[in-house]
Amino acid sequence: MTARTVRGAAGATLATALITGLAACSNPSGAASTADAAVVGIATEPESLSPLLGYGKDGNSKIFDGLLTHDADMKLKPALAEALPEVSADGRTYTYRLRRGVKFSDGEPFTAKDVEFTYRTILDPKTNNASRTELDAVESVTAQGADKVVFTLKYPYAPFAERTVLPIAPEHVAGRQDVNSGEFTTKPVGTGPYLLTGWSKGEKISFRANPHYWGGEPAVKKFTMAVVKDDDVRATRLRAGELDAAILPPNLARGFAQDKARKTYAAKTFDYRNVTLPTHHPVTGDVAVRRALDIAVDRQAMVDKLLDDAGKAAYGPVPTDSRWFTPGTERPYDLERAGQILDEAGWKTADDGIRAKDGVRASFPLWYTSGDKIRQDHALAFASDAKKAGIEVKTEAGTWEVIEPRMKTDAVLAGGGSPADPDFDQYQLLTSSLAGDGFNNMAQYANPAVDRAVADGRTSGDPAARKAAYDTVQRELVQNPGYVFLTHIDHLYVVNDKWEGPSTQVEPHDHGLGSGPWWNVESWKPKRK
Amino acid sequence: MARMAGRRTLSAVPVLLAVTFGVFAVAALSPFDPVKAYAGTAGLTASQAQLDQLRANLGADRPFPARWWDWLASALTGDLGDSAVMRQPVADVIAERLGWSALLAGSAFAVAVLLGTLLGVLAARRQGGALDRAASGLAYTLEAAPAFWLGLLAVWFFSVRLGLLPSGGLTDAADDTVTLSGAATHLVLPALVLGVSQLPWFFLYVRQGVADALAEDPVRGARARGLSERRVLLGHGLRSGMLPVLTLIGSRVPELITGALLVETVFSWPGIAAATVTAATSVDFPLLAALTVLATAAVLVGNLLSDLLYGLADPRVGFDG
């Protein structure tokens, strides 16, 4: 682009604003009041709307569809595929038959070529897609005819179908431009229930219902995501009637609890907060200290006081209400037992109340990301609980740039969570070969039994065998915790009560864009009065 | 006058070169990592190999003087490069946002200059009067109040309590088209807040300048000769009393840019300010460099403008600089 077009475009922006202003004169305020339009307030916006760069990779992208998608219970169901994939006996070949008659919003038909294009482009090292690691298992993807796609994997990977919820981009549009900065990143064309009508970065993303959507035209004709970074401003705009729904932190959501015209939704999540226990630190590397800390924390108090009850105690990456959770691995708060464990291991209490062993003082630093109040609260509560067991935790705040070089030896208040499959969290958190690889296995945890179990969990095609593998992991973590898991945090949303259909899915660490009560806005219906 | 403008334009070239080089150097020294910023939450699950690949793709592994030189060479041919963090060409990022920031800053500036001057003149005429005391007190309070706090206060009062004005965005959240009346009503609060946060400077300078001018001998002489109070004020008091304000107009430009940053955030105004912060914290070299050039140019133009105005208003001041 030349300097001349820059000036031209800048001028055009203003000119367009003025001209459209002269053409249209009425401007009804409170436009968020009709039932076939919904305006939701979100805190962050995507950098790009191109699935090739990672947009919508976990499903629910509105403009696009994946081969598969999730229902309300996070079970996989077909979307652009006609049915769930056929998996070969060795677990290395996934065959998808595609839905016929689906068209992109520009009228061009969707074919197997588009699927092949999408995955090949993401796997291309030249594409700046930071989530490519998630598709590591893929060896090749091939279109066979117009309506069949075959994925071949490098190794058997049981949760692979979960990865195919990522949106499919049209080859005839996205294939003709620079994948990293082309026009497609801001003006997407997809097969989804909504069409993009405008993206004013920093302000809002606007959608209109796709009249030719293969799943039927949505009843909510206009859907807008308003980008409002500040929590207080978002709550204020919701109260002023400019927003129909918004994601809010617990303290602000409470203000709407008595509101008859609005409903509060608390989405259950896999979004955990934990403390890493680096094996390379003389104190946190001691299994006795790890076990003691694990039962010396009062998780219920954290849920009650820090989260206003909007969450639950966490004992591992898998929340207690998941079908993957292993009953019996809950660790109740037991300060006395924690003291016993430390005593038996030779950690003796010194005069200042802090234990020591062989001249090593039971003290370690704990970092949290500055500006994140929830993490700060968790870190302080953890330090105060540890103190009662005679272990000194020095909390320090910093940005990731400060924290990262120290991750190997210092504890970090971390967060994460991915509900689709237990492999997604556990493989990266616990596999010893991934120790220190990027942000994977931050605590550098190494436990051969766990290594074996997470490997079995990802390769075995038998659901019962997988369950057994993850049961093993959770039992091992009781004996030798790599992390102290503190809480799973509910995500709170307040929604105007004028639709039938809003509900919540089990949500990942990220929230508000793909998930939130509007995950299924295409199937909302105006409420009959 | 033309010579002065020409000379200033020429001297702007080395200034801009030095400033962009400085920005690249500071950004390279900063602890922020462009790859982490680019990857976002996806970076938390990416393998090291994937992060290294990204680093190579983004060119983030090269030394900053090389990156600066490449940027400069392509910028001179009109290609401003691609913004990594926005995933689109830098020229598009700027084109989409600059107009709205200019509109906001321009309106706010008009509010601050006009209202500040008017109040300042009125206060100077009756120093110690009720209006003077009220306005001065308010000005000192406003000078201490952060712009984002004023913004929240305005949203609470005008949008929530009174329901008079929209509290954010460029249009109603559900509207797709930007209309003149829609944008105008949405502009009122942010422009007022930004303008009012700048107003004390103009008010205080005008008040002092005009009051001093009114106390000078020529004014007393004019009054003694029986000239009307109107002539005295417009002909003598304003002419010399306003001079400091002209300098102020230029020097307030940087302040206006930082103020706009906070106001744009509070009001979800789709301007360039938010992009500037993102560009800086993500070490997005091409975008950051282009924005720095813009901001520096704005300051230089502001200074030139105030000097030109000064020369026009006061014949004793030449244009030789």
Side-chain angles (χ1 to χ4, degrees):
Chain A
M1 179 171 274
T2 66
R4 219 166 109 205
T5 51
V6 178
R7 279 198 306 276
T13 312
L14 264 180
T16 319
L18 295 174
I19 292 164
T20 48
L22 295 175
C25 26
S26 74
N27 176 38
S29 60
S33 56
T34 48
D36 63 356
V39 183
V40 305
I42 55 174
T44 52
E45 68 186 323
E47 285 83 12
S48 155
L49 292 180
S50 167
L52 304 172
L53 297 180
Y55 168 66
K57 68 183 178 67
D58 297 317
N60 299 336
S61 68
K62 299 301 157 235
I63 312 167
F64 297 96
D65 293 301
L67 291 173
L68 305 180
T69 188
H70 291 118
D71 66 8
D73 299 322
M74 288 300 284
K75 282 222 180 65
L76 285 173
K77 65 174 189 181
L80 287 179
E82 194 176 63
L84 295 180
E86 289 163 31
V87 187
S88 67
D90 66 356
R92 289 187 49 200
T93 310
Y94 281 68
T95 308
Y96 290 79
R97 293 198 171 274
L98 305 184
R99 194 179 289 275
R100 285 157 199 254
V102 176
K103 286 191 161 71
F104 284 104
S105 59
D106 62 357
E108 294 292 318
F110 155 78
T111 71
K113 280 278 173 217
D114 296 304
V115 180
E116 187 185 294
F117 163 75
T118 300
Y119 283 86
R120 284 211 171 147
T121 309
I122 294 176
L123 289 168
D124 181 351
K126 293 241 166 5
T127 304
N128 295 341
N129 184 320
S131 310
R132 185 185 311 124
T133 312
E134 295 184 353
L135 295 178
D136 263 353
V138 179
E139 186 174 270
S140 71
V141 46
T142 322
Q144 293 186 352
D147 56 0
K148 193 165 139 192
V149 175
V150 180
F151 291 86
T152 314
L153 307 186
K154 295 174 194 154
Y155 46 85
Y157 186 47
F160 178 70
E162 289 285 353
R163 294 300 191 201
T164 57
V165 300
L166 78 78
I168 302 301
E171 182 175 20
H172 66 275
V173 180
R176 290 180 191 162
Q177 41 179 284
D178 182 344
V179 59
N180 294 320
S181 65
E183 208 177 38
F184 184 70
T185 59
T186 49
K187 295 187 176 62
V189 174
T191 57
Y194 285 89
L195 311 176
L196 184 79
T197 52
W199 184 14
S200 167
K201 282 194 181 175
E203 190 202 358
K204 67 184 169 189
I205 313 174
S206 328
F207 306 93
R208 124 181 110 78
N210 179 358
H212 308 298
Y213 183 51
W214 56 268
E217 188 184 359
V220 174
K221 302 288 181 221
K222 286 184 71 163
F223 180 60
T224 309
M225 288 177 159
V227 183
V228 188
K229 286 206 179 72
D230 188 272
D231 293 334
D232 289 299
V233 176
R234 217 176 313 119
T236 304
R237 290 185 67 177
L238 180 64
R239 205 175 289 279
E242 289 172 39
L243 302 177
D244 292 307
I247 175 156
L248 293 175
N251 57 334
L252 289 171
R254 206 186 314 128
F256 292 91
Q258 304 302 320
D259 193 331
K260 291 270 187 299
R262 295 186 177 93
K263 259 180 148 164
T264 301
Y265 292 84
K268 296 293 165 207
T269 71
F270 267 52
D271 185 8
Y272 61 76
R273 293 293 176 278
N274 67 1
V275 173
T276 65
L277 299 175
T279 46
H280 289 260
H281 190 280
V283 177
T284 54
D286 185 327
V287 176
V289 173
R290 299 151 83 94
R291 286 181 59 205
L293 284 171
D294 197 27
I295 54 173
V297 291
D298 190 350
R299 297 174 169 91
Q300 200 50 49
M302 293 186 185
V303 172
D304 294 344
K305 301 214 175 79
L306 307 185
L307 302 179
D308 274 330
D309 259 343
K312 54 190 168 295
Y315 303 98
V318 181
T320 47
D321 55 1
S322 161
R323 68 194 168 89
W324 292 101
F325 184 73
T326 310
T329 58
E330 298 93 342
R331 272 90 77 195
Y333 173 59
D334 193 344
L335 188 56
E336 206 173 310
R337 176 86 192 104
Q340 275 173 18
I341 293 175
L342 289 169
D343 284 337
E344 285 162 19
W347 291 93
K348 299 282 179 250
T349 312
D351 295 339
D352 59 353
I354 304 302
R355 292 168 186 269
K357 177 186 177 182
D358 306 333
V360 178
R361 207 170 122 86
S363 167
F364 63 92
L366 169 62
W367 290 87
Y368 60 90
T369 38
S370 38
D372 187 330
K373 187 166 181 303
I374 287 190
R375 288 189 193 205
Q376 179 182 348
D377 289 349
H378 277 82
L380 295 175
F382 176 79
S384 129
D385 285 348
K387 186 91 182 275
K388 289 179 199 152
I391 298 173
E392 181 185 55
V393 177
K394 287 178 281 191
T395 55
E396 294 187 69
T399 60
W400 280 116
E401 283 79 14
V402 177
I403 298 171
E404 199 197 345
R406 298 175 165 87
M407 278 181 340
K408 191 177 174 189
T409 52
D410 293 8
V412 179
L413 203 296
S418 185
D421 193 276
D423 173 73
F424 296 172
D425 286 323
Q426 299 186 22
Y427 185 76
Q428 287 162 336
L429 272 173
L430 300 169
T431 306
S432 59
S433 59
L434 290 181
D437 179 17
F439 283 85
N440 296 320
N441 194 355
M442 279 161 75
Q444 314 232 347
Y445 184 73
N447 180 338
V450 169
D451 277 346
R452 251 191 323 276
V454 286
D456 289 349
R458 70 171 10 198
T459 50
S460 170
D462 173 18
R466 298 196 73 206
K467 175 81 174 102
Y470 292 114
D471 283 348
T472 307
V473 174
Q474 291 172 67
R475 291 206 186 91
E476 281 294 324
L477 286 181
V478 178
Q479 298 309 314
N480 177 6
Y483 304 78
V484 179
F485 283 84
L486 304 174
T487 57
H488 279 104
I489 292 171
D490 289 352
H491 297 157
L492 297 180
Y493 303 88
V494 177
V495 184
N496 279 357
D497 191 17
K498 58 186 185 188
W499 291 282
E500 290 179 29
S503 66
T504 55
Q505 283 178 312
V506 178
E507 298 190 352
H509 182 54
D510 286 334
H511 50 280
L513 192 69
S515 33
W518 42 85
W519 70 275
N520 63 347
V521 62
E522 62 272 19
S523 57
W524 289 10
K525 300 273 180 285
K527 246 184 193 168
R528 263 169 275 150
K529 295 274 157 60
Chain B
M1 200 173 153
R3 270 183 57 209
M4 173 163 134
R7 206 171 43 244
R8 290 285 191 88
T9 314
L10 275 183
S11 65
V13 173
V15 172
L16 285 174
L17 284 180
V19 167
T20 51
F21 187 80
V23 164
F24 272 67
V26 169
L29 285 174
S30 80
F32 296 115
D33 180 356
V35 176
K36 293 271 155 44
Y38 184 92
T41 43
L44 298 178
T45 53
S47 65
Q48 193 60 49
Q50 167 62 11
L51 292 174
D52 293 344
Q53 176 72 51
L54 263 181
R55 189 173 298 278
N57 285 4
L58 297 173
D61 47 354
R62 302 175 50 223
F64 80 86
R67 305 191 63 191
W68 176 72
W69 184 251
D70 286 354
W71 170 80
L72 191 69
S74 65
L76 288 177
T77 66
D79 178 10
L80 295 177
D82 294 330
S83 158
V85 75
M86 303 283 172
R87 273 67 156 173
Q88 66 184 124
V90 167
D92 288 2
V93 176
I94 293 176
E96 273 171 20
R97 296 164 180 252
L98 187 64
W100 299 122
S101 279
L103 182 66
L104 172 62
S107 318
F109 216 49
V111 168
V113 174
L114 294 179
L115 218 59
T117 308
L118 184 70
L119 280 176
V121 171
L122 291 178
R125 283 187 67 190
R126 305 242 187 291
Q127 272 201 309
L131 178 87
D132 180 29
R133 277 192 315 227
S136 300
L138 195 66
Y140 286 119
T141 317
L142 283 176
E143 215 173 8
F148 76 89
W149 179 80
L150 285 179
L152 286 176
L153 203 68
V155 167
W156 172 79
F157 188 71
F158 291 104
S159 308
V160 180
R161 294 304 300 253
L162 300 182
L164 275 180
L165 289 164
S167 61
L170 187 60
T171 54
D172 285 323
D175 265 358
D176 289 338
T177 46
V178 180
T179 65
L180 188 63
S181 59
T185 45
H186 282 77
L187 179 64
V188 173
L189 274 190
L192 264 183
V193 166
L194 186 56
V196 162
S197 73
Q198 298 293 314
L199 184 143
W201 301 90
F202 292 98
F203 166 77
L204 294 170
Y205 267 79
V206 171
R207 173 179 173 273
Q208 197 59 41
V210 173
D212 286 351
L214 287 179
E216 277 169 11
D217 287 345
V219 171
R220 269 189 286 178
R223 279 198 175 127
R225 289 200 305 277
L227 288 181
S228 72
E229 194 60 20
R230 200 183 138 90
R231 283 280 303 275
V232 171
L233 187 70
L234 296 180
H236 300 272
L238 267 190
R239 183 130 189 180
S240 55
M242 286 294 285
L243 284 177
V245 176
L246 298 180
T247 321
L248 194 62
I249 287 182
S251 63
R252 292 314 291 170
V253 170
E255 194 78 15
L256 192 71
I257 295 174
T258 38
L261 190 91
L262 298 168
V263 172
E264 281 184 10
T265 310
V266 170
F267 290 97
S268 305
W269 189 259
I272 200 96
T276 312
V277 178
T278 319
T281 55
S282 323
V283 204
D284 187 349
F285 282 109
L287 182 57
L288 192 57
L291 292 174
T292 316
V293 169
L294 274 178
T296 315
V299 172
L300 292 177
V301 168
N303 285 339
L304 177 65
L305 195 71
S306 64
D307 288 350
L308 289 177
L309 287 174
Y310 208 102
L312 285 178
D314 189 342
R316 286 170 301 172
V317 180
F319 288 114
D320 299 312

